Each structure stands twice: as C-alpha cells, then as structure tokens.
Amino acid sequence: MTYTLADLPMLGGLDDGRLRGLEALARRRRYPAGQVLCTEGDPAEQLVVLLDGRVKAGRVSAEGKEVVLAVEAAPVAFDKTALLVDAPHRATRTALTAVEVAYLPRSAVLELVAAEPSVAARLLRTLAATVRDLDERLIDAAVRDVPSRVATWLVRRCADGRVPLHAGQAGLGAEIGATRVSVNRALRGFERRGLIEIRTGEVIVLNPQALARLAAIPAPAL
C-alpha cells in the first residue's frame, strides 16, 4: 500500500493548502530492495519519508559488523531528531522491499513546525513514543530473558497469525538485544511446544494466548 504525506502522524490534520505546498516541495523516488536511503554520519539535510515498503535501520560496530536496530514500515519519517538539531543521520537505512520515499527539505519542515503548533505537538508525541519504546527495550534487555522478549515481539506483531521476519532472526535479535543463536533457540523451543511454526522468512503463531502468558502481555484477538 502506498501512503501519502497526509498519512504521516506528524502531518495529520493539516489543511489541504499546506499539504499541497509540501507535496510540491517533495522529491519522490522509487527504489528496489537493497537501496540505501540514508547513511549513518551523513548530514540530515532532508526529511526522508517512507511512503511504501519496509526499511531496516542499522549501524556498523567497531568490528565492522552490521547491527540491525529496527525494521520500519510505511508510513514513517526517519531521523526527525537529527533534522531538528542539525545533526547527522544516526543509522543507515536500507530498503528491505521495493520502496517509495519522499524527500522534504529541512528548511520547509522547520518552517512548518514553527508555523503550525499542531504539527509541533504531534511531532513531540511521536518523539516521546520513540523514547518510551527505546526505554522499554533497554529495560527488557536488562531484566527479561530472551524467550520472554521473543514471545513479546511475536505477540505484538501477530494480528493475523503471521509474523514476517523481514531482517531474519538476526534482525529480530538486534531489535530485542539478543544474539541470532539465542533467538533461534527460543523459537525452536516454542515450535517444539506447538506454539509456533517456523517457515522461511516468517513465523506462524499457532497459540497466541500461550505466547502472551510467556510474555506477560495481553494476547491479540485473531
């Protein structure tokens, strides 16, 4: 599904005139899977908005190994904080699927935030939610074992029973602060207990209630 700028949470509720002005300034591009959209350390001179597809955010460790920080799906804007404080991109974002992106000039975004209090308020809420998510992930990594973290990750994504592993088990591990080996061990344990089925590139959740008990969170209704 291809989204528009109006679907971006921080731009929700803008009048048609403002949206048309932003659309006129936006530079739209389509890229295949594997395309790098922005690189860690490069200046964040534009707001990169993902309108279609999925992207992984990664950084390179001191040993030269890529660490996947997150897998993000449209609609989402990348590195809003870097744009606001004139800092470089904090991660390299690479398309996992074919994608469509829109590039908005930094100056236009800053002008919009200054002129539209509603945009500033929505942006603050978005940034606060991001900080809260990072805080929860840090706490989980410190106090919860890997199986419970994997169970939480699966339950939160299994609305239809199917959970794609867009960045593989290594990507799942990077998101929850665990190694690929420990993630694989947890998944195999769940499969032996009949809670899930592991397929190529995805996990089928067979018993979300049991997984939710392991995760200690409410189970979704399938």
Side-chain angles (χ1 to χ4, degrees):
M1 177 178 180
T2 300
Y3 293 89
T4 67
L5 293 180
D7 295 309
L8 200 64
M10 64 177 281
L11 301 181
L14 273 184
D15 63 67
D16 291 343
R18 279 284 190 185
L19 286 171
R20 284 195 297 270
L22 287 176
E23 289 284 0
L25 293 171
R27 181 168 57 92
R28 288 177 176 258
R29 293 290 186 273
R30 288 187 176 273
Y31 297 114
Q35 176 71 40
V36 173
L37 305 182
C38 58
T39 303
E40 175 188 355
D42 282 356
E45 298 173 341
Q46 302 174 93
L47 185 67
V48 185
V49 182
L50 182 66
L51 299 176
D52 189 25
R54 290 181 179 268
V55 167
K56 69 175 178 179
R59 302 186 73 172
V60 177
S61 69
E63 295 78 24
K65 180 180 178 181
E66 183 191 36
V67 177
V68 178
L69 303 175
V71 174
E72 299 164 294
V76 64
F78 305 134
D79 274 0
K80 296 176 285 292
T81 304
L83 197 79
L84 292 173
V85 300
D86 196 18
H89 290 292
R90 297 181 61 253
T92 296
R93 284 179 166 84
T94 307
L96 290 173
T97 65
V99 299
E100 181 176 353
V101 296
Y103 297 95
L104 285 170
R106 178 174 183 266
S107 58
V109 176
L110 295 181
E111 179 184 339
L112 181 67
V113 170
E116 296 282 352
S118 64
V119 172
R122 290 189 184 93
L123 180 57
L124 283 174
R125 286 195 292 271
T126 300
L127 294 176
T130 300
V131 171
R132 182 182 60 195
D133 178 64
L134 290 173
D135 187 53
E136 289 177 352
R137 287 170 60 183
L138 285 172
I139 293 172
D140 281 352
V143 304
R144 303 177 69 195
D145 61 19
V146 173
S148 67
R149 279 141 59 192
V150 172
T152 298
W153 192 92
L154 290 171
V155 170
R156 288 176 174 168
R157 290 162 175 79
C158 70
D160 63 354
R162 175 181 172 272
V163 184
L165 298 177
H166 295 287
Q169 293 183 16
L172 190 167
E175 287 196 63
I176 66 171
T179 65
R180 187 200 64 78
V181 172
S182 59
V183 166
N184 180 264
R185 188 181 300 121
L187 290 173
R188 293 296 177 188
F190 295 160
E191 188 172 47
R192 285 194 297 271
R193 295 164 64 179
L195 307 183
I196 66 171
E197 179 185 344
I198 303 172
R199 296 181 181 175
T200 301
E202 66 179 6
V203 171
I204 305 301
V205 175
L206 304 175
N207 192 334
Q209 287 75 24
L211 275 183
R213 287 194 293 272
L214 289 173
I217 61 176
L222 295 183

